[in-house]
Structure formats: structure tokens, C-alpha cells
Amino acid sequence: MDKECLVCKSKNIKSYDSKISDFTASRMNIPLENRNTKLFHCLDCGFAFYEYRFSEEETTKFYLGYRNEEYQKQRQLYDCWYTPELNEIIGKNEKEIANRQRNMLEMITKNVEISKIRNVLDFGGDKGQNIPDIFKELPKYVYELSNVEPVEGVTLLSSERDLTCYDFIICQGVLEHVSDLNIILDEFKKISTQDTYFYLEVPFDSPFYKSCLLYTSDAADDK
């Protein structure tokens, strides 16, 4: 198979017949003939990806008004469990926010020279609610396309033209939504220097493994 992993470039890949979810296809207006696709699984690094890659226009359609009332109603047509109550609590659960901040803070205190940090950017960070309090006295920004209202003390940036350079860049739960990783990596190069610190986080979950370490709020409290 002449297909390589988007992450490690390995050609040791297994393919599966798959289908883009009805909700995603509907929201992006993907034609019926393109909804059946291949799912590729890299047997070297474990990364999985669809053969069909979302265009920039399709991605914009999906995230414009992300999690607003219209989004919620449209999604519940396909996913009955995605209720207004569930939509409302995403990103607002105090326990979840505290756990995210605690995990990040542990990494920061071990690896970052705090005195060198003059500003912080949460790239794709919703309202900026997950930025640790250790940065509360610094200028804080969140780059977000869904037009949400940022939390107090955080400045919303909704256009690439607003981005400059930052000393500390957070990117939580974003990379798994990106169709072309090289595009976002190139963007990171533009807004960073050789001294910029990055905190990158992606979900640790996979349909290909029976056993997977799942980090939960309860597990964190038991530590």
C-alpha cells in the first residue's frame, strides 16, 4: 500500500473500511459519495487517520459556531445523547478544569523557567479557562474560532492576523481535530522563538487496543 503515516511517515499501515459520521458529514456538507472512506492505522507509532482529509473550507464549516445552540440541535439529530445540558457543561466542569490545570502545572514546575515567561497563548483553548493560575499576573491570550466569551483576564484572538510571538504556548485537545498537522506546525513556527515553551496534549484513547490507560477525574483524586 502506497500510504504513509501522517506522523512518523512509516508505511507499515493497516487499512479498514470506514465511514465519516453522519453528523460530521452533514455539518460539513460532504457529498454522499465521499462519506465512505478508509481508516488507516500505523502499526509503528499507533496513529490512526482517515484517507479522506477535510479541506480548510469543510473544517471552517464544522467549527463556526462550535457548541452554540444551532450546533447542539444539529448534533442531537444524529446523537440523541448530546443534550443541551451536556453541551452546556463541556469546558465548565470545575473538577475537570482543576485536573487539567494540575496536570499542566506539574509539567511546568519541572521543566519551565517561570521567570522567563512574559506572555501565554492557549491555542484553540475555548475560553482560556484551563490556563494555570501560576500565570495569572501575565498577559494571557486564547486563539479560538468559535466566538466564545473568554474568562476574565484572558484576551480573545479570533484571527491569525492577531497572533504575534509567545513565550508559552498551550495546545490541549486540538491536534486530533487538525486535518493536516504540517499546517498547524508551520503556524507554531510563526508564533514562537527558539526559547518558546510548548505544552501539547492529546487524548490517550484508541479503538485498536483492548487495554488503554484512561486518565479520569476520580483516578486523579486517588493519587
Side-chain angles (χ1 to χ4, degrees), residues 99-108 112 121-122 168-173 188 197-202:
N99 282 335
R100 282 180 175 270
Q101 290 189 359
R102 181 170 57 197
N103 293 337
M104 197 187 313
L105 187 59
E106 182 179 349
M107 295 290 293
I108 290 172
V112 176
L121 173 70
D122 195 344
F168 191 89
I169 297 176
I170 301 166
C171 186
Q172 289 181 307
F188 284 161
Y197 291 95
F198 283 86
Y199 179 88
L200 308 178
E201 180 182 310
V202 293

Side-chain angles (χ1 to χ4, degrees), residues 11 41 44 53 55 67-68 73 90 99 114 126-127 132 145-146 151 158 160 172 182-183 208 210 214:
K11 294 185 181 296
H41 178 215
D44 286 335
R53 311 305 299 160
S55 67
R67 292 179 181 160
N68 66 10
K73 289 181 178 179
I90 293 176
N99 282 335
I114 303 297
D126 193 26
K127 302 175 183 180
L145 303 179
S146 55
V151 297
S158 56
E160 290 184 10
Q172 289 181 307
N182 290 320
I183 291 178
F208 298 106
K210 294 181 180 179
L214 298 179

Side-chain angles (χ1 to χ4, degrees), residues 4-5 7-14 41-48 209:
E4 67 178 22
C5 176
V7 173
C8 73
K9 306 304 180 183
S10 169
K11 294 185 181 296
N12 186 19
I13 290 176
K14 187 173 182 179
H41 178 215
C42 176
L43 300 181
D44 286 335
C45 76
F47 187 71
Y209 305 104

Side-chain angles (χ1 to χ4, degrees), residues 7 39 52 83-84 127 129 155:
V7 173
L39 175 64
Y52 185 91
T83 63
K127 302 175 183 180
Q129 69 271 22
T155 301

Side-chain angles (χ1 to χ4, degrees), residues 47-63:
F47 187 71
F49 58 99
Y50 285 116
E51 181 175 37
Y52 185 91
R53 311 305 299 160
F54 300 138
S55 67
E56 184 175 349
E57 180 183 3
E58 289 168 338
T59 303
T60 299
K61 286 180 180 178
F62 187 90
Y63 288 106

Side-chain angles (χ1 to χ4, degrees), residues 4 9-10 18 25 28 43 53 71 92 96 110 115 118 139 196-197 204 214:
E4 67 178 22
K9 306 304 180 183
S10 169
S18 187
M28 292 184 173
L43 300 181
R53 311 305 299 160
Y71 172 94
K92 297 180 180 179
E96 177 189 2
K110 290 180 179 179
S115 61
R118 295 164 297 177
T196 297
Y197 291 95
F204 185 55
L214 298 179

